[in-house]
Amino acid sequence: MSDISNKGSDLIYELDDNPPFHQTLLGAITHLLAIFVPMVTPALIVGAALQLSTETTSYLVSMAMIASGVGTWLQVNRYGHVGSGLLSIQSVNFSFVTVMIALGSSMKSDGLHEELIMSSLLGVSFVGAFLVVGSSFILPYLRRVITPTVSGVVVLMIGLSLIKVGIIDFGGGFAAKSSGTFGNYENIGVGLLVLLVVIGFNCCRSPLLRMGGIAIGLIVGYIVSFCLGMVDFSSMRNLPLVTVPIPFKYGFEFNFHHFLVVGTIYLLSVLEAVGDITATAMVSNRPIKGEEYQSRLRGGVLADGLVSVIASAVGSLPLTTFAQNNGVIQMTGVASRYVGRFIAVMLVILGLFPGIGRFFTTIPAPVLGGAMTLMFSMIAIAGIRIIITNGLKRRETLIVATSLGLGLGVSYDPAIFQVLPASIYVLVENPICAGGLTAILLNLLIPLGQKDEKPLPHVLKELD
């Protein structure tokens, strides 16, 4: 099976369709609402953990948005071999948050000042991004390694891992946990309201109402939260009017030891990008096997690397293809990359004018959680569909079951493998990496072609 059949497709607009302006704008805003807070949060977390100045943290946030806009433009337009040509949205890679905090804290304890810390962190990020660029050229030789079963496991693990983020926001977020209000009536009520509104509008026959389901749910939730006094505008104070990108604003420093750690995370992010792009291709009714798929995969990973080079140069944390948007595509039925061009332009504008962008951070966590819990679950469903396209014979069942068990096990308690050397532990403490690496190893070790293998009942294939 080399393609995903368009029969019974739920898409309203296919990849190369050009929706009317008002529907394009609605689709772009919906995607922005889904990604904006996760996009700016890493910079805010790193800034708070390293006790960076307000000016530096604000600059990191603005550059994240500008770099994401540039990266999204490259991905959706596909210049030559650069870009997937899909509605692939670029955003800050969460995998780097812990690493940046650990490395930055170490330098801070050694007495290094803020500017030197930033120059070192961004310097190793800049060089490490070329590892992703290089890996894109060897992807065609990894077809035996990165099969639909492996890609499906990675997508499934991405969705299942993100569900944890969504459900925590549903209950009020980490701030609510600290204040003791996590899971109170207000948070759960707002989260359920948003969830029900999104489900209700997605059951409508009207394409416009279905497309706007997520946005309408978020708007309704925001209004109710505001009336309940849950909206905090304190983050809007003392922001610069305009933020202009300055290449190597903090200078350039390179530490080889730091590079080894950051480089490892970059290489692991390639596996995650492969899963994200595969999921985007599937929900966009494009092939997930064959030459077209391989070309999109190669171009998408190449764009990931180049965008991280640009992002690190202007002062942003590294970027990657975002999984969240696959859920948005499924919920809205809009896979048009034309919408991606609007998203790219809007992200750059939001980055240049930080006051506009920072407004999105005032959206209460339960509002986001109500929508994200459903969207992230849709990503997990996409992973299951990818796995089934390759069949679920005994061999594939063993690979999926083992990978899922170890990946989810790590998500429940990341310290389980802490006895391993630090260089290996950094690979397996992340559930996505643990599940993906397990799938790759088993795919190489378990022999192919057993005659007694029988696929699962035909009814499972109906999910494809």
Side-chain angles (χ1 to χ4, degrees):
M1 183 175 179
S2 62
D3 206 339
I4 298 299
S5 173
N6 289 345
K7 184 179 179 180
S9 170
D10 287 330
L11 288 183
I12 299 171
Y13 292 108
E14 300 276 350
L15 182 65
D16 293 314
D17 289 344
N18 191 342
F21 174 79
H22 68 284
Q23 295 188 12
T24 299
L25 185 61
L26 177 62
I29 292 174
T30 301
H31 277 277
L32 283 175
L33 289 172
I35 68 171
F36 195 85
V37 172
M39 177 188 300
V40 302
T41 298
L44 296 174
I45 293 174
V46 171
L50 299 182
Q51 297 178 327
L52 302 178
S53 66
T54 303
E55 179 186 352
T56 299
T57 302
S58 297
Y59 184 79
L60 288 175
V61 170
S62 294
M63 292 308 105
M65 289 184 280
I66 292 175
S68 296
V70 173
T72 300
W73 184 270
L74 289 177
Q75 285 282 18
V76 301
N77 286 290
R78 200 178 190 191
Y79 296 100
H81 296 294
V82 179
S84 65
L86 300 167
L87 183 51
S88 300
I89 311 301
Q90 298 290 115
S91 189
V92 177
N93 192 336
F94 259 96
S95 300
F96 285 90
V97 172
T98 305
V99 172
M100 293 298 179
I101 292 175
L103 296 178
S105 298
S106 175
M107 288 186 282
K108 194 176 187 68
S109 64
D110 290 337
L112 300 183
H113 57 81
E114 179 178 294
E115 189 169 306
L116 192 55
I117 292 174
M118 292 305 303
S119 67
S120 182
L121 292 178
L122 295 174
V124 294
S125 298
F126 178 82
V127 178
F130 287 98
L131 294 175
V132 180
V133 173
S135 68
S136 68
F137 294 101
I138 65 172
L139 281 179
Y141 305 103
L142 299 178
R143 298 182 188 185
R144 169 69 179 86
V145 178
I146 305 178
T147 63
T149 300
V150 172
S151 298
V153 166
V154 174
V155 175
L156 179 58
M157 288 308 308
I158 290 171
L160 294 176
S161 298
L162 288 172
I163 288 173
K164 180 179 180 180
V165 177
I167 204 67
I168 289 175
D169 278 346
F170 197 106
F174 290 104
K177 283 192 170 186
S178 302
S179 63
T181 59
F182 184 79
N184 63 13
Y185 287 116
E186 288 81 3
N187 291 330
I188 296 298
V190 170
L192 283 174
L193 173 65
V194 174
L195 178 62
L196 292 174
V197 171
V198 172
I199 292 175
F201 276 92
N202 271 272
C203 291
C204 294
R205 293 185 177 182
S206 168
L208 183 61
L209 292 178
R210 182 183 161 200
M211 284 176 57
I214 297 175
I216 294 170
L218 292 172
I219 292 171
V220 170
Y222 190 90
I223 293 173
V224 172
S225 298
F226 179 80
C227 294
L228 293 174
M230 298 170 63
V231 180
D232 181 12
F233 292 104
S234 61
S235 62
M236 300 289 294
R237 300 169 185 163
N238 302 321
L239 289 175
L241 180 61
V242 179
T243 302
V244 179
I246 303 175
F248 301 107
K249 175 182 174 69
Y250 303 101
F252 183 89
E253 295 288 335
F254 181 79
N255 182 297
F256 185 71
H257 172 71
H258 294 169
F259 169 74
L260 291 178
V261 178
V262 172
T264 301
I265 302 300
Y266 264 122
L267 292 176
L268 291 175
S269 72
V270 173
L271 184 62
E272 188 174 340
V274 167
D276 290 340
I277 295 168
T278 302
T280 306
M282 162 163 275
V283 300
S284 302
N285 286 335
R286 304 311 306 165
I288 58 169
K289 289 183 180 179
E291 185 54 40
E292 178 187 327
Y293 167 68
Q294 292 295 331
S295 176
R296 292 189 187 280
L297 207 59
R298 185 168 57 249
V301 173
L302 176 58
D304 261 18
L306 291 176
V307 171
S308 288
V309 170
I310 296 171
S312 302
V314 299
S316 167
L317 299 179
L319 271 62
T320 190
T321 303
F322 232 32
Q324 280 88 329
N325 297 90
N326 294 323
V328 178
I329 292 173
Q330 292 181 86
M331 295 298 296
T332 62
V334 179
S336 170
R337 59 179 181 164
Y338 183 73
V339 174
R341 296 172 185 169
F342 271 64
I343 297 170
V345 173
M346 292 168 73
L347 283 171
V348 172
I349 293 174
L350 291 173
L352 291 174
F353 298 96
I356 302 175
R358 191 64 66 87
F359 173 77
F360 286 86
T361 64
T362 66
I363 301 175
V367 177
L368 294 170
M372 288 181 178
T373 300
L374 182 59
M375 289 190 296
F376 296 164
S377 299
M378 297 293 284
I379 296 172
I381 295 296
I384 294 173
R385 293 178 62 198
I386 294 171
I387 292 169
I388 292 176
T389 62
N390 204 38
L392 267 178
K393 300 178 182 178
R394 183 180 298 113
R395 177 180 182 273
E396 284 71 28
T397 300
L398 285 172
I399 294 173
V400 174
T402 308
S403 305
L404 189 60
L406 290 178
L408 279 180
V410 168
S411 71
Y412 295 143
D413 195 344
I416 187 172
F417 294 122
Q418 62 183 348
V419 296
L420 298 175
S423 57
I424 299 178
Y425 178 61
V426 73
L427 302 178
V428 296
E429 67 173 342
N430 184 301
I432 298 171
C433 296
L437 290 174
T438 301
I440 289 176
L441 290 174
L442 292 180
N443 188 54
L444 293 173
L445 294 175
I446 299 179
L448 289 163
Q450 296 184 21
K451 294 183 179 179
D452 62 338
E453 288 185 339
K454 293 182 179 180
L456 291 180
H458 178 75
V459 68
L460 284 179
K461 294 184 179 179
E462 296 299 324
L463 291 173
D464 180 11

